[in-house]
């Protein structure tokens, strides 16, 4: 059985600006870099680290790896955030202006990647990671991904999504090809280092 810790990346520039990121390749803020550096030593029990290929996830993984003394980072493109279609780069106010009522009702525009579409590639990625971990003789894997990925897997498991600050997420496990979603986890002072969650699929910002 592979035991996975899936974490949302540290704060990015578009997180700080309140923009819906989707698959835009935005970098970390300085606050995000500090949070990742704080988290590194707290994650030193992991020997294997896998991340999305988007820059905010890769930068988070690189900083954590340095602090946790993890030598190798594997990149997995199927762990990308969902494609947010025409909402990519927009704030909630801009979305409400151009798609009035969509956010409140849970509707999404054309070309927006659904939860069902996202979990197909996420399942494939996590299954591959579990096999790779088995070949390397380790069962504990740290996975740096995105809010929408963790949200979609949580919803598919029938669990209630919770607010997801940067560098928070869920414990999960893969056994005989089946994914089990476990309890929420936050690393470091996630609330202090995070903007309100506006990534695709995340719950609305906290009041």
């Amino acid at each position: 059985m592979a035991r996975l810790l899936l974490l949302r990346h540290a704060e990015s520039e578009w997180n700080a600006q309140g923009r819906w990121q989707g698959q835009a390749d935005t970098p970390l803020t300085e606050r995000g870099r500090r949070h990742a550096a704080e988290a590194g030593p707290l994650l030193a029990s992991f020997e294997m680290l896998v991340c999305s290929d988007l820059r905010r996830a890769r930068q988070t993984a690189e900083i954590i790896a340095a602090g946790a003394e993890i030598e190798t980072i594997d990149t997995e493109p199927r762990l990308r955030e969902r494609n947010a279609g025409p909402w990519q780069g927009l704030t909630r106010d801009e979305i409400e202006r151009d798609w009035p009522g969509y956010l409140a009702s849970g509707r999404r525009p054309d070309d927006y990647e659904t939860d069902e579409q996202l979990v197909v590639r996420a399942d494939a990625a996590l299954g591959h990671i579990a096999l790779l971990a088995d070949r390397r003789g380790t069962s504990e894997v740290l996975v740096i991904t995105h809010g929408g990925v963790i949200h979609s897997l949580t919803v598919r498991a029938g669990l209630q999504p919770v607010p997801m600050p940067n560098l928070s997420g869920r414990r999960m496990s893969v056994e005989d090809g089946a994914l089990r979603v476990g309890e929420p986890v936050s690393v470091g002072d996630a609330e202090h280092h995070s903007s309100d969650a506006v990534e695709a699929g995340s719950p609305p910002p906290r009041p």
Side-chain angles (χ1 to χ4, degrees), residues 35-66:
H35 190 191
E38 172 189 302
L42 302 176
L43 297 165
S45 62
F46 290 92
E47 297 179 355
M48 182 173 170
L49 174 54
V50 184
C51 69
S52 155
D53 65 338
L54 293 178
R55 180 163 33 164
R56 57 192 184 271
R58 287 188 289 105
Q59 289 179 333
T60 301
E62 288 164 1
I63 296 169
I64 287 175

Side-chain angles (χ1 to χ4, degrees), residues 106-128:
R107 286 180 292 169
R108 296 295 183 259
D110 294 338
D111 300 326
Y112 183 96
E113 188 176 15
T114 66
D115 282 348
E116 293 77 13
Q117 292 168 328
L118 193 159
V119 296
V120 169
R121 61 176 170 87
D123 280 340
L126 296 177
H128 174 74

